[in-house]
Amino acid sequence: ATDQVMVEGSTQQGVVEVYDASGRMVLSENFIQSKFQMDVSSLSEGIYQLVMISEDGLVRGRVMVRR
């Protein structure tokens, strides 16, 4: 990813949190659609853990930010 990440889930509403390698939350965004774009332009290059939290539960993934 460069400045935008496409996030897609099975639920319509919840929150996506992004954590750096040290486990610190660096970004959090509420969503109201199952598919949306998240702005990651404020993040440095690296690999981040993405956590989607909704009433359906918790889903984890990873995203690589490159410039």
Side-chain angles (χ1 to χ4, degrees):
T2 53
D3 290 337
Q4 299 285 323
V5 172
M6 178 62 70
V7 180
E8 187 172 356
S10 61
T11 187
Q12 294 288 323
Q13 186 173 333
V15 64
V16 173
E17 298 174 346
V18 180
Y19 295 86
D20 66 12
S22 64
R24 184 178 50 130
M25 186 170 61
V26 292
L27 198 57
S28 178
E29 188 171 318
N30 293 319
F31 64 91
I32 55 171
Q33 303 177 62
S34 61
K35 187 175 183 180
F36 66 98
Q37 287 201 7
M38 188 170 198
D39 182 4
V40 295
S41 61
S42 64
L43 301 179
S44 300
E45 278 193 352
I47 298 175
Y48 295 85
Q49 183 174 45
L50 189 136
V51 180
M52 180 181 275
I53 304 163
S54 71
E55 60 186 30
D56 291 344
L58 192 112
V59 177
R60 295 179 192 270
R62 290 184 183 235
V63 64
M64 180 184 292
V65 175
R66 290 192 217 178
R67 302 279 179 247

